[in-house]
Each structure stands twice: as C-alpha cells, then as structure tokens.
Amino acid sequence: MTDFAKTDLSGYNIQYIKGVGEKRARLFNKLGIYSVRDLISFYPRKYQDWSKNTSILDAPEGETVAIKATMITPVKEALIRKGMTLYKCNFSDGQNVIHVTLFNNKYLAKSLRTFDDYILYGKVEKTFTSASMTSPQIEKLESANGIHPIYSATEKLNSRAIAKVVKTALDAIPHIDDTLSDEIICRYNLCSLDFAVRQIHFPDEEKNIDIARRRLIFEELLTLQLGLLKLKDKKETVNNLPVKKDCTNEFCKLLEFELTNAQKRAIAECIDDMSNDSAMNRLIQGDVGSGKTAVAAAVMYSAVKSGYQCAMMAPTEILANQHFESLSKLFGGTDLRLALLTGSTKAKDKKQIKADLMDGKIDIIIGTHALIQNDVEFKELALVVTDEQHRFGVEQRATLAMKGKNPHLMVMSATPIPRTLGLIIYGDLDISILDELPPGRQEIRTDVVTSVYHERIYNFIKKAVDGGNQAYIVCSLVDENESELISAKEYAEELQTKVFTGYNLGLLHGKMKPKEKDNVMSAFARGDVQILVSTTVVEVGVDVPNATIMLIENADRFGLSALHQLRGRVGRGRDKSYCILVSDNKSDSSRERLQVMKSTNNGFKIADYDLKTRGPGDFFGKRQHGLPNLVIADMLGDMDTLKECQKCAEEMLENDPKLDRYPALCESINNMFRKTDY
Ligand code: ADP
Ligand code: MG
C-alpha cells in the first residue's frame, strides 16, 4: 500500500487498497471510482456532526442527534418472524435511560458490550415516560468523536464502507502535492491541496469544511477556465471565408413579416463579424419565440449569396425536421438548395446528400448529430449554426468547426443566462441578445392554482381540445423515491382511462429512446395526439402552434426558468393560450415565486428572480450549458470564485501559455474535457 507514496494517484487502481480487492473494486467502479485519485476526489455529500452531543432529556423529539451514553443492559434477542430478528438494549447518559432497538443488525448487536461508552446517532422518539431510538448508528466513544462524512452510497456499498476505504487511502498517502504555485495559493487565500483533500473527507472541525471547499471549488473552476481559454486559443481566428455582401434587404422580401429591431441588430452584428478579419463566434441569445430562426436564415442567406455552404444543427430530429420545413418554405421561391440529414435519412439518400455536399450542390444542410460524422464533407462550408446551443457541448461545436476552413460559428440559445455569467461560460463567444418579441404576440395567461381545481382544469382542457386545440400536461416526480417513468406512466394511464376517455393521449418521458420521443412528438405536432402527457422532456424549440394549454403539475418543484421554457411551448399560434401552474405548496416563498410567473412573460426578468431566490444549482437544470459536469463547484452559486478563477487563469496563461509549470493541472484539464459526454 505504501508504494503509492510516489504519487501516481491516477494510475493506482483502487483494487489494491487494503480491504478493497477485485470484487469491491467493481462496486466502486459503479460510482465512477477507478483510481486512488478518483477515490479521494469522491467528496462527501454531507456530514454528520457527532461531536455535538446532547443529553437524553434535552434531545428534541423526532430530530437526529448524537447522544453520549453507556450501555447498561445486555442485548436481548427476539426472533419476531422468519428472517426478522430484533435486538434490544438500554443505554444511560447518567441521568436518563434510552431504549434502543436494532433490526437484523447482528454484527452491530454482537459488538456491543455492557458498561462501555458509545455515541448513539439517530432520531429520538419520546413518550411521557420513556425515550427510544430505532436503528441508530452506534459507535464506541473513542472512535466516534468528530464530524463524519456521508457519501453517496449504493445498495452494496454503504457510506461507512466508503469512508473506511478513503481513510485507508489517505493514510497511505504521505503528502498530496500541490497543483498550484505558492504565489497563487497565497494571493487567492487558499489552503493547500493536501489540507483540502484530507479535511473535505475528515474535517477536524466544522470551519475546515468551508476552507477545504473553497480550495476545491477554486481548483475545479480554475481548471474549467483554463480549459475554455485553451480551447479558444486552439481555434484559428482568421477569417478565410469573408462574406462579401449583405443581402439582408433581399432576404426580407421573402418574409411574411417585418423583422424586429432586435433581429435586425443581431443579423447586422453577424454579417459584420463575417466580413471582418476574424471568423465569427457568436451566441444569439433570445427568449422563446423571439425569432432566432429568422436571424439564422438571414445570415445563411447572405453567406450562400457569397458562394458558400451553411450547416444548421439541431439537437433532435423533430427540431431538424421543423427547421427544414420552415426554411424550405421560406426559400421556396429562390435558387437556394436545401437538404435534410438526420439519423433516419435512408442510406441511399444519405449517400447522395453527402456526394452533393462535397460537390457544392447543396447550399444549406440541416440536420442532427449526423452532421458531425467524419464522412460528411463540404465543398466550401462557411457557416455553422447550432440551435438550442445548451444541448451541445463545446467539443461538438469544435468538431463541426473543423469541417471547413475555420467556418463562422453561430449558436442560438433560449436559456436566458445573465450576461455576466454568459461572458464567463461562453467566454469564447460574442453575444447578441434578442430582447424583443415580434409584435402582436399574445400574452400567455398564467394562473396559479391548487389541485382542488383539477376537475375544472380537465374540463377546460376538454373544451379546448373539442374545439380543435391541443394541450400539454407536464408532471414532475411526486417524490424522490418514485421513478419518473412510473409516475408519468401511471398518471397518463389514469388520465386516459378516468378523465380523458375517448381522447388521444400521448406519453413522453426521459427514458424513451430519441426515436420514440420523436415519434410521439411528431404525432403531437401533426395533431394525431391531442393531449401530450410528459415529464420535463418536452422538446425545446418544437413549434406546435395549435397547442394552447400548458398544464404543469407540482409546479413548485421546477425552477422558474424551466417553467418559463415550458410555458413557451404554447402561445405560438393565433389562439389565446394558457399556462396553468398547479401547486399545493403553501409556503410563502413558493407562492411568491409562482406569482412571478403570473406577473411577467419576460424570460430575463424571470431568470434574475430565479437566480436571487432559488438555489443557483437548480437554475440551469441538469446539463443545460453544454459544459463539463462539475463535481463540487456550482457555476452560479460560486460566481465570485468563478470570476477570480477567470482572472487567475488569464494570468497563468499569459505567463506560461503551455502551462509547463502545472503538469497536474494540465492532466485535470484533459480529464475534465474528455470526461464530458454529450
Ligand atoms: P425561437 O427564437 O423560439 O426559436 P422561432 O424562430 O421559432 O423562435 O420563431 C417563433 C415564431 O415567430 C415563428 O413562427 C416565426 O415565423 C415567427 N417570427 C419570427 N420573427 C418574427 C417577426 N419579426 N414578426 C413576426 N413573426 C415572427
Ligand atoms: Mg428555436
């Protein structure tokens, strides 16, 4: 064991840590832990403080506490039925007695000795005359003191077992070498990495947890920033594909509507970028319905008129189909040649399309991931547009960008992130904001109600559907233990059989294959499905103008920004649209939050409020930003650190562009950006 003193921690398989072995190593693997480095980077989820103990008398009923007590009666065993043994014994803290019951825990029961001192950790139940604890954690007083780490465990590998292995590993590492220079550590007021790693697992006192966290968050965000800056650096910046003329006026004649000023501004910024010395790298950020597609179409039009090809990539097939249809219609009267390439394109057609792309017989190709495959080649690809950018990773963007002579990049996103944050996480992009909705958009009427109103809501939906409209019903998890799948399925079944008999319901949930999702979504878009019951996977960006009702169950469980995105699925056609938020949560903060949804349709305002009131971790939802997953840092919650890290990263790269002085950090950067699976 001591032989990993010469710290190749990443290369040291956990299998060889004392007490692990091949079989348990596999359990660790399930948690993503393979090397000693992975193990010591597997931070506790929370802590239990066993050092603050209370007397039996003072222990509040129903709360989890630590009690220091002596065992005063031997363990009594009772077999209550086959496979269920109870162990009972009594403890005293010198003044009062507490009864302890253990279920089936023979190992623990047999280890207890009368007159020994222990710490009992668990919930206390009280009656007028007695106190008791059921299945508490019990440890010998000598070994129990202090703050205990709690890890995310699995069925076969509990938190205690993980803690023990982490302890063994840390004890065998004489010193964890620092990744940062003393100067940086000092300047940013950080503790050493060695201290941070040891204290995050086994803090000597509570305040050390924060000190350790600060260092580890700093390390992670710095790695992220360095990675992003290097990525930006790798990118060629010269403009090999200048757009020679601005054909926006000509393009406008194709539209049935006037562009908004915001759209005009964004288009001008793009064309300006593309005719300048360096290639375009621009994020078009606009609320749902702000008309991002028209901006992309205009910019592509000018690019094609300069003799180039364009590619537009969407995260799902149905979205790619929709873009293809609407752009085909828009460009119907022109000489622009469009094609669609997705996973479902027939092999024969695919071959033809690829050949045509190479020959320059296609001007605009629209598609999904299929577009970034190796065998797709272009004659003169000048512009790559990615829609709903947050679904794509930085890397994917980069792959598509490799396909030409450094083509211009335009990414479109409806996720309204605050500008300051945008600049940091999309550090390599310029940003245009569409802060204006096309005129004449109807406000979506939003109501917040309790579940008492269900019957009325259902009738309201029936009436709308009978009149030819469609509705979304979004349900989230009812409780953590329930699988998303089951709750959505059950709910859909209940609705179909008990409420909406005779109507066509569709079900969409996260466990479905992309193809299945597309099928359901397409059926809904065609109008074959009248009511779509869904978990939160309602596809971003899909246009079903006929849908006029968005019903969201347990609305308080969603972030406001997520609610706003969902609401944006309706109000896309001519008919008056409604968003109904159902919530039985009576807390003031929850009510107030939902009222914000009622009071404004402005995504940026909502995002701001969301940011201020809800834990920032929820803000993006999962994987909304297309950046690597962070283990400990929280992009928004740790905003200040993020800013510090950006500055620090810039300075480091200025002094040492290849980061020669920081080999360990280089390894972390590679790991972080490699691990990202999009
Ligand atoms: P998003 O920004 O959410 O992607 P879309 O590009 O899908 O929005 O546009 C939403 C709808 O608004 C489309 O039906 C589109 O034709 C329409 N639209 C876009 N720009 C304008 C405009 N300036 N005036 C009127 N309608 C517009
Ligand atoms: Mg869109």
Side-chain angles (χ1 to χ4, degrees), residues 289 292-293 319 323 387-388 412 541 572:
K292 294 184 288 289
T293 321
L319 206 50
H323 282 323
D387 192 14
E388 302 303 345
M412 307 197 288
R572 302 173 82 86

Side-chain angles (χ1 to χ4, degrees), residues 394-407:
V394 230
E395 303 275 87
Q396 274 182 339
R397 249 198 284 143
T399 314
L400 198 53
M402 306 286 199
K403 291 206 177 286
K405 296 182 247 163
N406 190 33

Side-chain angles (χ1 to χ4, degrees), residues 316-318 344 485 489 506-526 529 532-533 537 539:
T316 62
E317 267 191 31
I318 172 147
S344 350
L485 175 65
K489 252 190 182 160
L507 173 65
L508 198 67
H509 59 75
K511 300 264 161 63
M512 286 163 84
K513 296 204 182 79
K515 189 86 199 127
E516 296 170 326
K517 279 192 216 165
D518 268 350
N519 286 341
V520 175
M521 226 25 244
S522 305
F524 188 66
R526 279 197 309 273
V529 165
L532 184 67
V533 182
V537 294
E539 292 303 338

Side-chain angles (χ1 to χ4, degrees), residues 286-293 312 319 322-323 387-388 412-414 540-542 569 572:
D287 209 345
V288 272
S290 57
K292 294 184 288 289
T293 321
M312 184 168 183
L319 206 50
Q322 279 201 345
H323 282 323
D387 192 14
E388 302 303 345
M412 307 197 288
S413 171
V540 184
V542 177
R569 300 299 97 218
R572 302 173 82 86

Side-chain angles (χ1 to χ4, degrees), residues 63-82:
E63 273 177 41
T64 305
V65 292
I67 293 174
K68 189 162 97 181
T70 313
M71 181 154 134
I72 51 169
T73 60
V75 176
K76 269 196 226 140
E77 192 176 320
L79 183 73
I80 53 169
R81 60 179 154 79
K82 202 161 178 260

